[in-house]
Amino acid sequence: MDTVAERGLDGLTMAGLGRQVGMSSGHLLYYFRTKDELLLQTLEWSEGRLGAERGALLSRPGSARERLDGYVEVYVPDGPRDPHWTLWLEVWNRSQNADDEARARQAAIERAWHRDLVAILAEGVSRGEFRVVDPDRFASRMRALLDGYSVHVAVGLPGTGRGEVLAQVREFIDETLIPRT
């Protein structure tokens, strides 16, 4: 994951990666077949770690707003060239030419994020913490906002650091989701 973040997939060779991890390129190709498969399996591994973090977040006590803020903090990259987000950027870049199986695996990862956000939103609506919204539709819109901001953070666009993005997203949540008193 660090190598992909550092060099991008185009700068990665199986021979170079093999030297880094103490394996032959043939051994890597035996397990991964292609660089695209290596990329996707690395993303799945990374997502497994984040999925466990999201699961812990969803099960902890507190308000739906606290869990929503935690979800956003897990979602948004730490900064430019964040390894996890660099993997996503590489996968999205290659997804136009991906086969159906690879696209289905990518969609499964996306669905997990969506499902967890919908659960937080539905809970907040049912408790009266959030305005009455369609959790599925709101989640789609919010994830599009998060994806856009996260790409800006991951590529290092000026004025879109993690802190600024988190503040913008909190403001969006306050304006669109929190009931006015």
Side-chain angles (χ1 to χ4, degrees), residues 38-59:
L38 171 70
L39 174 67
L40 189 52
Q41 282 193 36
T42 303
L43 179 64
E44 288 170 332
W45 170 81
S46 177
E47 282 292 333
R49 292 174 49 221
L50 283 178
E53 195 173 335
R54 280 194 328 273
L57 171 78
L58 290 171
S59 64

Side-chain angles (χ1 to χ4, degrees), residues 39-136:
L39 174 67
L40 189 52
Q41 282 193 36
T42 303
L43 179 64
E44 288 170 332
W45 170 81
S46 177
E47 282 292 333
R49 292 174 49 221
L50 283 178
E53 195 173 335
R54 280 194 328 273
L57 171 78
L58 290 171
S59 64
R60 74 180 183 205
S63 69
R65 174 60 191 263
E66 290 168 338
R67 280 192 284 293
L68 180 57
D69 287 342
Y71 176 98
V72 170
E73 288 176 21
V74 170
Y75 202 105
V76 174
D78 290 333
R81 305 220 42 92
D82 175 284
H84 178 78
W85 266 91
T86 301
L87 287 172
W88 264 117
L89 294 173
E90 291 284 355
V91 167
W92 282 335
N93 186 44
R94 293 172 130 51
S95 64
Q96 292 182 54
N97 300 318
D99 62 26
D100 290 341
E101 179 198 348
R103 284 164 115 23
R105 289 164 61 195
Q106 180 182 344
I109 295 168
E110 297 273 2
R111 278 191 306 274
W113 280 97
H114 187 80
R115 178 197 66 231
D116 290 348
L117 181 54
V118 168
I120 294 168
L121 295 169
E123 176 189 358
V125 169
S126 72
R127 289 182 173 181
E129 291 179 50
F130 300 151
R131 290 182 188 169
V132 176
V133 297
D134 177 328
D136 188 62

Side-chain angles (χ1 to χ4, degrees), residues 65 124-125 127-132 173-181:
R65 174 60 191 263
V125 169
R127 289 182 173 181
E129 291 179 50
F130 300 151
R131 290 182 188 169
V132 176
I173 291 167
D174 289 341
E175 291 173 354
T176 60
L177 200 54
I178 304 303
R180 295 177 193 210
T181 54

